[in-house]
Amino acid sequence: MAINVSYGKGEHIALIADKKYVSGAPVRIGAIAGVAMTTAEQGQKVTIWRNGSYRLPVKETVQAGAIVKLGTDGLLTTGAGKIWGVALQTSASAGATIEVAPVGVAFD
């Protein structure tokens, strides 16, 4: 293995938080999308998992397979925001918690 490897697969990484994050919250820092595994204040390092699936609330009803975005309010939505991931199940109602998967790296 190369001696200059920092994060083998890069599935979970630490970045400087651009705002406060609470463990378990969806995160989008630059093009990196994932879920905060640690709580961090702005300017501190936050560990982000970019793989797997998570049970998170969505603002409105969502169909399985739909792209979800991270809104400016920190909630997942199909409306305005930056691409965050994909819904793995359909939500029964607005505000429901469903299984979602982050895209890891998003270019939008």
Side-chain angles (χ1 to χ4, degrees):
M1 180 181 282
I3 60 172
N4 59 345
V5 171
S6 292
Y7 289 106
K9 294 182 181 180
E11 295 171 342
H12 41 90
I13 60 175
L15 297 175
I16 301 298
D18 57 344
K19 63 181 184 176
K20 180 179 181 175
Y21 289 105
V22 176
S23 178
V27 174
R28 171 83 192 255
I29 299 175
I32 307 273
V35 172
M37 288 294 115
T38 57
T39 296
E41 298 291 331
Q42 182 177 1
Q44 294 179 327
K45 281 200 169 185
V46 59
T47 300
I48 303 166
W49 281 41
R50 304 180 327 127
N51 63 345
S53 64
Y54 303 86
R55 298 195 50 76
L56 295 169
V58 290
K59 288 173 74 168
E60 61 276 309
T61 56
V62 176
Q63 295 296 314
I67 291 174
V68 291
K69 300 174 182 176
L70 187 57
T72 56
D73 56 5
L75 298 175
L76 295 180
T77 180
T78 55
K82 293 190 173 194
I83 292 174
W84 183 86
V86 64
L88 300 180
Q89 61 185 153
T90 300
S91 62
S93 62
T97 296
I98 64 168
E99 186 177 2
V100 292
V103 293
V105 178
F107 299 100
D108 59 344

